[in-house]
Amino acid sequence: MKFVNEMKLSFPSRSANEGFARTAVSAFLAQLDPTVEEISDIRTAVSEAVTNCIVHGYPDCVGTITVEAGIREDGRAVIRIRDRGTGIADVRQAMEPLFTTCETGERAGLGFAVMESFTDKLRVRSTPGRGTVVTMEKKIKTKGDSDESSKGKDAGTL
């Protein structure tokens, strides 16, 4: 299924830009007329993904984060957030709730769990030394959609 609209932006991995990314994606997706809950879910998931890039992808330097968002014909939002940072050696382990590589105790290890709980579909691809790509999908319900009709559909990748 193709995109009816899409956007792409890149910015430095500075913590001040996390709010920018969250706001830019939610503003772009406003054309779907999401509910307050849907837009809140998207904002939270984008915040978690961008924060992971900043904290884990570029722990000792400033790099580039790229955010892409697309709207499919069926009203499904597809959001991809990419860094070219340190990468993740074991994605399955990293996605386990409470797993963290943070030795200071400042991180709870819930980032991927939060992203997964606020989206319909989450995919993580990563290569150590080359970076990570997080792809999230969320169906924005339109009039006539039921809860059951929006689950389990594969919209492809961005």
Side-chain angles (χ1 to χ4, degrees), residues 21-111:
R22 164 181 72 207
T23 301
V25 171
S26 60
F28 174 75
L29 296 177
Q31 63 193 289
L32 292 172
D33 196 23
T35 65
V36 171
E37 182 179 357
E38 288 168 333
I39 206 70
S40 178
D41 290 352
I42 289 165
R43 290 172 60 89
T44 300
V46 168
S47 291
E48 290 294 333
V50 171
T51 297
N52 274 359
C53 294
I54 295 165
V55 172
H56 302 292
Y58 302 110
D60 301 319
C61 64
V62 174
T64 300
I65 298 171
T66 302
V67 175
E68 296 174 70
I71 298 169
R72 297 225 181 256
E73 292 172 327
D74 66 352
R76 184 170 297 275
V78 180
I79 303 154
R80 183 168 58 187
I81 299 174
R82 182 183 75 227
D83 69 61
R84 303 249 186 230
T86 61
I88 302 168
D90 186 338
V91 172
R92 285 186 200 262
Q93 183 182 39
M95 291 182 74
E96 290 178 18
L98 303 178
F99 175 81
T100 182
T101 57
C102 178
E103 296 174 6
T104 65
E106 294 178 20
R107 301 287 165 195
L110 294 172

Side-chain angles (χ1 to χ4, degrees), residues 14-26:
R14 299 187 193 286
S15 59
N17 289 330
E18 176 271 325
F20 164 67
R22 164 181 72 207
T23 301
V25 171
S26 60

Side-chain angles (χ1 to χ4, degrees), residues 70-156:
I71 298 169
R72 297 225 181 256
E73 292 172 327
D74 66 352
R76 184 170 297 275
V78 180
I79 303 154
R80 183 168 58 187
I81 299 174
R82 182 183 75 227
D83 69 61
R84 303 249 186 230
T86 61
I88 302 168
D90 186 338
V91 172
R92 285 186 200 262
Q93 183 182 39
M95 291 182 74
E96 290 178 18
L98 303 178
F99 175 81
T100 182
T101 57
C102 178
E103 296 174 6
T104 65
E106 294 178 20
R107 301 287 165 195
L110 294 172
F112 287 128
V114 168
M115 286 179 244
E116 195 166 36
S117 70
F118 285 108
T119 60
D120 298 326
K121 187 173 185 178
L122 173 69
R123 288 184 306 277
V124 180
R125 291 179 315 169
S126 190
T127 304
R130 299 193 63 179
T132 302
V133 179
V134 172
T135 304
M136 302 175 282
E137 295 183 23
K138 182 150 182 92
K139 173 73 167 118
I140 304 301
K141 294 182 179 80
T142 59
K143 292 179 181 156
D145 279 351
S146 70
D147 287 340
E148 293 304 312
S149 69
S150 65
K151 297 197 187 279
K153 292 182 183 175
D154 185 12

